């Protein structure tokens, strides 16, 4: 199969993005366009403009003709794990949105006569399960439970792209610190109201990354030919929920005296409470080894950047 010539970071690229309306995707699109790159957005309806490509992950459909000439694809689409209380129906939606979506994209790319150089597939630290206080990097095996099983299937669904000779990098992303959305988007208003506090005993590790560094890391994966396979996108120093609580209170100048007990979280969140109370101490081994530099490496840096 014919291959495009490798591009350098300074080369103008044509990049397709799924999940382009989400927190990370919209920030990535803005960043790419600000630097002069052409961006195609995959949308779940007929395309209305020249920068849109229709797809329907549930039907495993992508308008592959709209992807002709792309240099890179960043696949970020998937139902939010914290958007709703988990029950069996929503857990199926979480799985299907990731596995079917990834299969649809990878099969479409594999069908192209001149496929793109790289597919960056956004996955999650859920791969590792609960690691307790033990620090892990990309060499760690998959954990046990619902999210690890989803992540295993999710990454496996990109096999057609790999088999077509496309470089595939799995961006295993941590908790993104941003006030506009995601988990932290819910924390900011609670803490600003003086109602913040630790969750459970607060000893569980949270592996975080600032939104700025998340976007920069995704672009680094696109631009770095040596990076394929799993790459953890998380800041170098994971912190406990207790430390997050103290930092949020200090940065926002609000008290954080409350505690959300585990039974209350389980009542509100369903099965997802186990992941909120679980501990993930995950390190960005391959990212730092490849020369990536964090703009906001500490939790204090990340929260201040998001707050201001």
């Amino acid at each position: 199969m014919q291959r495009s010539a490798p591009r350098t970071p300074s080369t103008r690229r044509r990049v397709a993005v799924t999940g382009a309306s989400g927190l990370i995707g919209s920030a990535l699109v803005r960043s790419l366009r600000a630097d002069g790159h052409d961006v195609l957005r995959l949308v779940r309806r007929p395309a209305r403009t020249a920068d849109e490509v229709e797809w329907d992950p549930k039907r495993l459909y992508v308008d592959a003709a709209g992807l002709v000439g792309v240099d890179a694809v960043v696949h970020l689409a998937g139902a939010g794990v914290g958007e709703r209380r988990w029950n069996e129906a929503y857990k199926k939606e979480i799985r299907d949105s990731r596995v079917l979506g990834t299969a649809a994209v990878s099969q479409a790319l594999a069908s192209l006569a001149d496929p793109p150089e790289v597919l960056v597939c956004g996955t999650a630290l859920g791969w590792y399960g609960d690691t307790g206080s033990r620090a892990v990097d990309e060499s760690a095996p998959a954990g046990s439970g619902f999210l690890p099983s989803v992540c295993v299937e999710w990454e496996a669904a990109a096999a057609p792209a790999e088999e077509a000779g496309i470089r595939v990098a799995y961006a295993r992303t941590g908790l993104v610190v941003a006030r506009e959305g995601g988990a932290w988007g819910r924390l900011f208003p609670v803490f600003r109201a003086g109602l913040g506090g630790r969750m459970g005993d607060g000893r569980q590790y949270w592996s975080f990354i600032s939104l700025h560094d998340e976007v920069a890391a995704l672009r680094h994966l696109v631009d770095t030919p040596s990076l394929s396979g799993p790459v953890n996108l998380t800041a170098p120093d994971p912190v406990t929920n207790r430390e997050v609580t103290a930092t949020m209170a200090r940065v926002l100048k609000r008290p954080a005296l409350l505690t959300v007990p585990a039974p209350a979280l389980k009542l509100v969140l369903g099965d997802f409470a186990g992941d909120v109370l679980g501990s993930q101490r995950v390190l960005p081994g391959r990212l730092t080894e490849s020369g990536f530099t964090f703009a906001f490496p500490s939790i204090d840096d990340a929260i201040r950047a998001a707050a201001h």
Side-chain angles (χ1 to χ4, degrees):
M1 186 172 290
Q2 183 181 359
R3 303 292 302 147
S4 299
R7 304 296 186 95
T8 64
S10 61
T11 304
R12 182 174 178 176
R13 290 176 180 270
R14 189 167 177 81
V15 184
V17 179
T18 76
S21 62
L23 171 68
I24 300 170
S26 59
L28 175 64
V29 169
R30 288 194 301 271
S31 174
L32 288 167
R33 286 179 170 166
D35 286 342
H37 299 290
D38 294 328
V39 180
L40 298 176
R41 298 172 297 118
L42 273 70
V43 296
R44 293 180 177 87
R45 53 169 172 73
R48 297 171 185 163
T49 60
D51 71 340
E52 293 183 343
V53 176
E54 183 182 1
W55 79 315
D56 185 342
K58 291 184 178 179
R59 291 194 296 117
L60 291 176
Y61 169 75
V62 178
D63 179 11
L67 297 177
V68 171
V70 299
D71 302 301
V73 177
V74 182
H75 171 48
L76 301 172
V81 295
E83 297 296 323
R84 288 163 40 188
R85 189 180 190 275
W86 280 14
N87 54 29
E88 290 307 311
Y90 194 60
K91 286 164 73 173
K92 183 177 186 301
E93 183 174 344
I94 288 171
R95 178 201 170 276
D96 288 352
S97 69
R98 285 160 173 75
V99 177
L100 298 181
T102 301
V105 169
S106 60
Q107 289 170 16
L109 297 182
S111 74
L112 297 176
D114 184 15
E117 175 190 340
V118 58
L119 166 63
V120 175
C121 183
T123 64
L125 299 189
W127 167 280
Y128 303 103
D130 189 335
T131 72
S133 61
R134 176 174 53 93
V136 299
D137 62 14
E138 292 88 351
S139 65
S144 60
F146 172 68
L147 281 183
S149 69
V150 168
C151 290
V152 169
E153 292 184 72
W154 191 357
E155 295 187 5
E162 289 188 330
E163 292 164 1
I166 299 169
R167 175 170 65 89
V168 180
Y170 301 100
R172 294 178 180 170
T173 294
L175 293 168
V176 177
V177 184
R179 70 174 184 271
E180 299 93 341
W184 241 279
R186 293 177 177 83
L187 289 181
F188 270 102
V190 172
F191 275 82
R192 287 189 189 279
L195 300 174
R198 70 176 190 269
M199 298 181 184
D201 62 18
R203 290 182 293 186
Q204 68 271 32
Y205 276 89
W206 282 15
S207 295
F208 68 92
I209 187 170
S210 72
L211 179 58
H212 174 98
D213 285 332
E214 171 72 11
V215 169
L218 289 170
R219 294 189 58 174
H220 181 73
L221 292 183
V222 169
D223 291 336
T224 308
S226 62
L227 285 174
S228 62
V231 183
N232 295 334
L233 271 54
T234 179
D237 296 308
V239 293
T240 64
N241 175 256
R242 188 186 298 269
E243 292 173 277
V244 168
T245 300
T247 305
M248 288 285 285
R250 183 174 63 255
V251 171
L252 299 179
K253 297 180 171 59
R254 294 290 190 275
L257 304 176
L258 303 177
T259 298
V260 184
L265 283 171
K266 291 174 182 175
L267 181 65
V268 173
L269 302 178
D271 290 347
F272 183 45
D275 291 273
V276 171
L277 296 167
S279 182
Q280 289 190 312
R281 192 177 183 183
V282 181
L283 305 179
R286 299 192 65 211
L287 191 61
T288 54
E289 289 169 5
S290 68
F292 182 80
T293 301
F294 289 88
F296 305 104
S298 73
I299 189 61
D300 189 273
D301 293 332
I303 291 174
R304 288 185 187 280
H308 302 300

